[in-house]
Amino acid sequence: MLQEVDQPGSSIDQYVDSLEAVLAQKMDAIRKLQNHLERFKSKLRQEDLMSRTVQKKQTTMHRT
């Protein structure tokens, strides 16, 4: 895009609009990635909780 805007007769407004569209797409992709990461972290926390629960039960069973 920078090469195009450097050409004689190119429109700076078109460049700004194009850049804005690209940035909006990138921001959307980042938001989606953040959402995926949050869901992954949540599942990891759930798995960790279940693992600790099972370990507690196993420890309790071995003591009796």
Side-chain angles (χ1 to χ4, degrees), residues 12-28:
I12 192 72
D13 291 330
Q14 186 178 9
Y15 167 75
V16 169
D17 290 342
S18 296
L19 183 57
E20 187 175 41
V22 167
L23 290 175
Q25 289 174 343
K26 299 287 184 184
M27 288 171 44
D28 186 49

Side-chain angles (χ1 to χ4, degrees), residues 11-44:
S11 169
I12 192 72
D13 291 330
Q14 186 178 9
Y15 167 75
V16 169
D17 290 342
S18 296
L19 183 57
E20 187 175 41
V22 167
L23 290 175
Q25 289 174 343
K26 299 287 184 184
M27 288 171 44
D28 186 49
I30 290 170
R31 276 197 277 314
K32 287 178 181 178
L33 186 56
Q34 286 175 322
N35 289 337
H36 286 292
L37 180 59
E38 286 303 315
R39 285 193 298 273
F40 180 70
K41 285 170 42 178
S42 176
K43 289 180 182 188
L44 284 177

